Amino acid sequence: KQEVTQIPAALSVPEGENLVLNCSFTDSAIYNLQWFRQDPGKGLTSLLLIQSSQREQTSGRLNASLDKSSGRSTLYIAASQPGDSATYLCAVRRSRDDKIIFGKGTRLHILP
Amino acid sequence: DTEVTQTPKHLVMGMTNKKSLKCEQHMGHRAMYWYKQKAKKPPELMFVYSYEKLSINESVPSRFSPECPNSSLLNLHLHALQPEDSALYLCASSQAGTGIYEQYFGPGTRLTVT
């Protein structure tokens, strides 16, 4: 059974700091891993998608890495801003049945 | 246009009511999804449609009935719901085929069952 774990569950950091969010998964047979952002009561916004053959993806201040063999992904946020405050979810797409499994998310609060 | 729209934004219904949720996308995606999300929990997959055919049903109770009338539209028909069905219902879409494609989510419908 595929399990996706995100650590920490919650994180508060001062504005301007760089930070790393972690995601681990138990079954390495995946098509891809996707990082999302969710504001309270809202839908999910896709941040980065990493295919299983890729090692990392970058978009602006965000960099996501994938180590499929060890079942880990990280989301690096540079120069954090108060507007980055949200819940960050990672999701893996399982290759054996094409199902998408989400982690429980990391609630990020950037202190002004 | 990378937008998935959902209507209504909020819905309050009694346990004997029949209502429907609607999802629409115009990105040419041929895979569409329904998720249920309870407060402070991750989204849980309910149904997947691929090329307008139901491909995944995650053992969802029959009081939830999905429908994909065409490649741009996805409905979720609701009947005889329970208070524990109150949640945020999210629709998503992606290109179909092997699962390498990015999912795009709508803003969700906040459902309250009284």
Side-chain angles (χ1 to χ4, degrees):
Chain A
K1 180 185 174 186
Q2 176 69 277
E3 291 187 354
V4 180
T5 304
Q6 291 188 246
I7 295 173
L11 180 65
S12 293
V13 300
E15 179 179 2
E17 284 199 3
N18 304 325
L19 59 100
V20 175
L21 307 181
N22 297 290
C23 173
S24 61
F25 47 96
T26 54
D27 184 354
S28 62
I30 63 170
Y31 282 128
N32 60 45
L33 184 145
Q34 197 166 354
W35 281 95
F36 295 90
R37 164 192 177 132
Q38 186 173 32
D39 294 289
K42 304 293 185 183
L44 278 67
T45 300
S46 178
L47 299 173
L48 290 163
L49 172 73
I50 312 178
Q51 303 296 352
S52 61
S53 59
Q54 296 175 324
R55 296 286 291 184
E56 66 178 324
Q57 284 286 332
T58 298
S59 176
R61 294 184 295 110
L62 304 179
N63 176 279
S65 69
L66 175 65
D67 183 343
K68 202 173 74 158
S69 61
S70 67
R72 295 174 189 271
S73 176
T74 61
L75 179 66
Y76 175 83
I77 302 177
S80 58
Q81 302 171 357
D84 295 331
S85 297
T87 296
Y88 290 79
L89 294 150
C90 71
V92 299
R93 193 152 193 167
R94 203 160 58 188
S95 54
R96 66 178 173 85
D97 57 8
D98 205 26
K99 289 185 181 177
I100 295 162
I101 312 296
F102 280 85
K104 292 184 178 180
T106 294
R107 292 190 308 281
L108 176 65
H109 182 46
I110 305 300
L111 304 166
Chain B
D1 181 9
T2 58
E3 191 178 25
V4 177
T5 59
Q6 290 187 244
T7 55
K9 290 186 179 179
H10 302 275
L11 178 62
V12 180
M13 61 185 290
M15 290 189 284
T16 58
N17 292 158
K18 285 186 181 181
K19 297 286 185 183
S20 296
L21 309 184
K22 180 180 172 182
C23 172
E24 194 164 4
Q25 57 86 14
H26 296 286
M27 294 178 275
H29 291 167
R30 299 302 294 276
M32 296 185 77
Y33 311 77
W34 280 116
Y35 289 85
K36 174 182 177 179
Q37 186 178 26
K38 301 284 276 185
K40 299 192 188 300
K41 299 286 187 185
E44 295 179 353
L45 184 66
M46 299 174 73
F47 302 105
V48 180
Y49 273 83
S50 181
Y51 297 101
E52 295 86 69
K53 287 186 171 28
L54 184 65
S55 60
I56 295 177
N57 176 343
E58 288 289 272
S59 302
V60 178
S62 60
R63 58 185 183 268
F64 295 92
S65 176
E67 178 196 21
C68 191
N70 61 56
S71 60
S72 300
L73 268 177
L74 184 67
N75 298 320
L76 187 63
H77 303 297
L78 314 172
H79 173 55
L81 294 192
Q82 303 297 311
E84 59 265 30
D85 297 321
S86 299
L88 181 66
Y89 287 84
L90 295 164
C91 172
S93 72
S94 73
Q95 294 183 50
T98 56
I100 62 173
Y101 301 112
E102 187 171 2
Q103 283 203 329
Y104 295 86
F105 280 79
T109 292
R110 173 73 60 189
L111 174 67
T112 303
V113 182
T114 60

